[in-house]
Amino acid sequence: MPAVDLDKLDYEILRRLQEDSRTIAETIGAEVGLSAAAVQRRIKRLRQAGVISREVAVIEPRSVGVDMTFIVMVEMERERLEVLDAFRKQVLADPAVQQCYYVTGSADFILVVHCRDMGEFEAFTRRMFFDNGEVRHFTTSVAMDRVKVSLSVPLNGG
């Protein structure tokens, strides 16, 4: 995705929306020195340009019974495009996978996985890794504590 030309006001709007996407345009406008209509136009442009990719509710996993977080490093048998693409599709389709990174180093992928308990995680490993002949090896770490979880992007520009 090509970089989008953003000015200082765009960055100020983005900072506020990252903090709380439900902040109304009137409030943002008063804080940054724009009219509500000007803020709404800028937000619309930021959405259309793909700068704002989604607006979602962030749910505390434990409040809905999802008590365990796993960090999984995955090594594939071969680094062929069709193997990597097939694994990407599998990851995208699995709701337990919260994040997936294609990385350099000893692993090919790093996954962040949320499950209700170890039994649910075992079922996940069976369908994702043991049933996939292209997975050579995987290593799992269990998160002991959620110290920081954020999807906010550092906004130093503007």
Side-chain angles (χ1 to χ4, degrees), residues 25-37:
E26 289 81 6
T27 301
I28 295 172
E31 292 173 354
V32 302
L34 290 173
S35 69

Side-chain angles (χ1 to χ4, degrees), residues 37-151:
V39 170
Q40 289 169 336
R41 282 192 300 275
R42 284 174 178 261
I43 291 172
K44 181 179 179 182
R45 180 178 58 83
L46 293 166
R47 287 179 182 134
Q48 290 172 338
V51 175
I52 299 172
S53 61
R54 294 186 328 158
E55 296 170 65
V56 299
V58 178
I59 298 169
E60 173 60 41
R62 286 197 167 143
S63 71
V64 293
V66 181
D67 291 332
M68 301 192 76
T69 301
F70 304 88
I71 313 302
V72 186
M73 298 177 70
V74 183
E75 274 183 73
M76 305 303 290
E77 273 301 330
R78 295 171 210 82
E79 260 198 70
R80 291 191 336 258
L81 283 178
E82 63 271 12
V83 169
L84 299 175
D85 288 345
F87 188 74
R88 283 183 178 105
K89 286 179 186 170
Q90 187 180 6
V91 163
L92 288 168
D94 198 300
V97 179
Q98 300 302 298
Q99 297 176 50
C100 173
Y101 300 93
Y102 178 50
V103 298
T104 62
S106 60
D108 295 305
F109 292 93
I110 295 178
L111 310 179
V112 177
V113 179
H114 286 307
C115 293
R116 295 184 183 287
D117 54 34
M118 283 303 265
E120 191 172 281
F121 182 69
E122 181 184 5
F124 169 82
T125 62
R126 287 178 186 273
R127 72 177 174 268
M128 187 65 67
F129 309 130
F130 293 117
D131 292 345
N132 184 338
E134 298 296 344
V135 173
R136 176 184 302 151
H137 177 75
F138 70 95
T139 304
T140 303
S141 294
V142 178
M144 304 279 287
D145 185 21
R146 289 170 34 116
V147 177
K148 179 180 180 180
V149 176
S150 174
L151 292 177

